[in-house]
Amino acid sequence: LRLAELTADVLPAGVFNVVCGQGAVAGAALSEHPGIAMISITGTLRDGKVFQEPASGPFPVSGGIPGFTEALKLMQKGGKYKIWIPSEIGYGPNDVPDQKTGGVAIPGGSLLIFDVELQDFLPRDQFEAAMKQQQEQMQKAAEAGGQGAPPPQN
């Protein structure tokens, strides 16, 4: 990646965004219709500590931390971003507990840094219909598999 391919913006909410690659414009769809973004994401603190392990999957456009929601609404399909979210529009002044250890996952007042790739965007109703169809197919496959299974051995 060449430096000339990078652009930076400060979004209205105070989110600092560096675009690492442009994609097809999807920003209008994301901001106008609450839906589901298919993303790849990693979250780190300023010291490099990972608090969000690399993951891919569906993420609701609304309902996350305010700074991430604001940035997500402006992303373009296929784009790669590095987003800095100040604590005021992140998790705020209170510590965020680690669900596994009970310790502190994110200290209060932390700047959050996310590496995000927006792979796709789906309206919520279309995503829910696809999930329902997938569940029905899995259930049918499980039922069909059970009919031809060998008898249990004693």
Side-chain angles (χ1 to χ4, degrees):
L1 190 64
R2 294 180 310 234
L3 192 56
E5 295 173 341
L6 298 176
T7 59
D9 297 304
V10 178
L11 305 179
V15 176
F16 187 73
N17 179 42
V18 175
V19 180
C20 302
Q22 296 291 339
V25 176
L30 287 173
S31 63
E32 292 174 14
H33 305 288
I36 304 296
M38 302 302 287
I39 63 172
S40 292
I41 184 171
T42 303
T44 58
L45 301 175
R46 188 179 291 197
D47 65 4
K49 177 185 173 196
V50 176
F51 66 85
Q52 168 70 55
E53 294 292 332
S56 294
F59 189 88
V61 174
S62 59
I65 59 172
F68 192 81
T69 297
E70 182 71 24
L72 191 58
K73 288 178 181 179
L74 299 173
M75 290 182 185
Q76 296 178 349
K77 182 178 175 179
K80 295 179 183 181
Y81 304 86
K82 183 173 281 285
I83 306 164
W84 284 266
I85 301 177
S87 67
E88 296 81 25
I89 53 175
Y91 289 112
N94 300 321
D95 292 345
V96 175
D98 185 318
Q99 301 297 323
K100 295 178 186 173
T101 67
V104 175
I106 303 172
S110 291
L111 172 75
L112 307 174
I113 303 168
F114 291 99
D115 290 301
V116 181
E117 180 177 358
L118 177 60
Q119 299 158 343
D120 203 357
F121 166 76
L122 297 170
R124 185 178 294 275
D125 59 344
Q126 185 179 348
F127 174 77
E128 289 172 353
M131 292 302 295
K132 183 178 179 183
Q133 183 179 15
Q134 184 178 13
Q135 289 172 345
E136 289 170 355
Q137 289 173 347
M138 289 173 58
Q139 185 175 3
K140 286 179 184 177
E143 290 170 358
Q147 294 174 356
Q153 301 211 359
N154 294 335

